[in-house]
Each structure stands twice: as structure tokens, then as C-alpha cells.
Amino acid sequence: MAIRDIVKDGDPILRKKCRPVEVFDEKLGKLLDDMRETMNKADGVGLAGPQVGILRQVVVIEVGDFYVELINPEILETSGEQIGVEGCLSVEGKNCYVARPNFVKVKYCDRYGKQMLLECEGLPARAVFHETDHLQGVLFYDKEYKGKVNRKKL
Ligand code: ZN
């Protein structure tokens, strides 16, 4: 495994749309291992392909004991709402509130190309939305929530 450089905001690669992964090979496995290590070293909870300069639909998410690799993710269902603070390993020194659905059901492939389904809510769901946005060239502050926030509810 190896630590990769994290692409920083201002680099146009973060604004490009990613193509699906077509080949599930050792190179993909190595990329995912590197992404996980890079995310852990940077103390993040998620990392998407463009953040390491790869314009492919690959995401790693790790929230506590929950770890998942999403390849070619497709959101099937969402429900509810959560308003919380987000930041990004590519965007230094900026955090803001973002409203996201509380629940997500997502179809994806694992690193071997097997079709999988994931349902989650709360923080892992927030990470799914944040990271899948990266695959579309969208950054969290594009969606800054400007309404009133009741801090007790967070
Ligand atoms: Zn991010």
C-alpha cells in the first residue's frame, strides 16, 4: 500500500465527472488499498477517485467500524433529512452545514465486480452522499445549508 497525494480544491480535476470502472483487476484493488490508507492517514471518513487524481467511480468510506468500497455506485432510494457540518480532505480550512437525506439505499460493485446493495443512515449515509457527489464534480460547499440550524438537534 502507498499514500497518495490528495488533490486540493482549485484543481480542475475535482470538477470533472468520473467514468465507471470497467476492469476489476489487481490495479483496482491496489488503488482501493491506497485510497483507504491515504484516507486513514489524513484522518478522513471518505475519499473519492478524483481526490487522488483518478477520474473513475471509486469511493472508500470508513466511519468507526464501518468500512465500504463503492465502485460504480448508484443511489436507488433516499429518505428523511439530516443537517450537519461537513468538511473535505481536498478543501482545507472550510466547513459548513449541508442538508442531506438521512437514509440511503445504494447499488454498487465491490472490488471484484460483484453487485452489492448497501442501506445506511446517519453519518455513513452522509459520507455516501458527499463522496458520490465527488464523482459528479460536486463539492460539499456547493450545497451549503443557509437555513437556521437548531444545534440541539445535531
Ligand atoms: Zn470530499
Side-chain angles (χ1 to χ4, degrees), residues 46 51 87-90 130-131 134 139-140:
Q51 295 181 276
C88 179
L89 295 178
S90 293
H130 179 114
E131 300 308 330
H134 271 298
L139 296 176
F140 71 101

Side-chain angles (χ1 to χ4, degrees), residues 71-111:
I71 296 142
N72 303 341
E74 193 185 317
I75 291 172
L76 301 178
E77 263 181 63
T78 66
S79 67
E81 188 186 51
Q82 55 172 323
I83 296 163
V85 175
E86 291 187 21
C88 179
L89 295 178
S90 293
V91 184
E92 286 164 314
K94 185 171 171 70
N95 297 90
C96 67
Y97 286 101
V98 183
R100 305 282 193 185
N102 189 55
F103 167 85
V104 66
K105 180 175 178 181
V106 58
K107 183 174 97 171
Y108 65 100
C109 293
D110 71 6
R111 64 166 67 196

Side-chain angles (χ1 to χ4, degrees), residues 20-91:
V21 169
E22 284 156 7
V23 181
F24 295 81
D25 58 3
E26 276 180 28
K27 201 177 153 199
L28 176 66
K30 165 101 173 77
L31 170 65
L32 291 161
D33 290 343
D34 287 357
M35 285 174 68
R36 185 179 191 178
E37 195 178 5
T38 303
M39 167 181 70
N40 289 341
K41 173 129 193 287
D43 211 15
V45 298
L47 197 66
Q51 295 181 276
V52 290
I54 306 289
L55 283 172
R56 291 286 182 172
Q57 294 176 12
V58 290
V59 160
V60 295
I61 290 170
E62 188 157 22
V63 180
D65 292 337
F66 174 81
Y67 175 70
V68 70
E69 297 166 347
L70 305 176
I71 296 142
N72 303 341
E74 193 185 317
I75 291 172
L76 301 178
E77 263 181 63
T78 66
S79 67
E81 188 186 51
Q82 55 172 323
I83 296 163
V85 175
E86 291 187 21
C88 179
L89 295 178
S90 293
V91 184

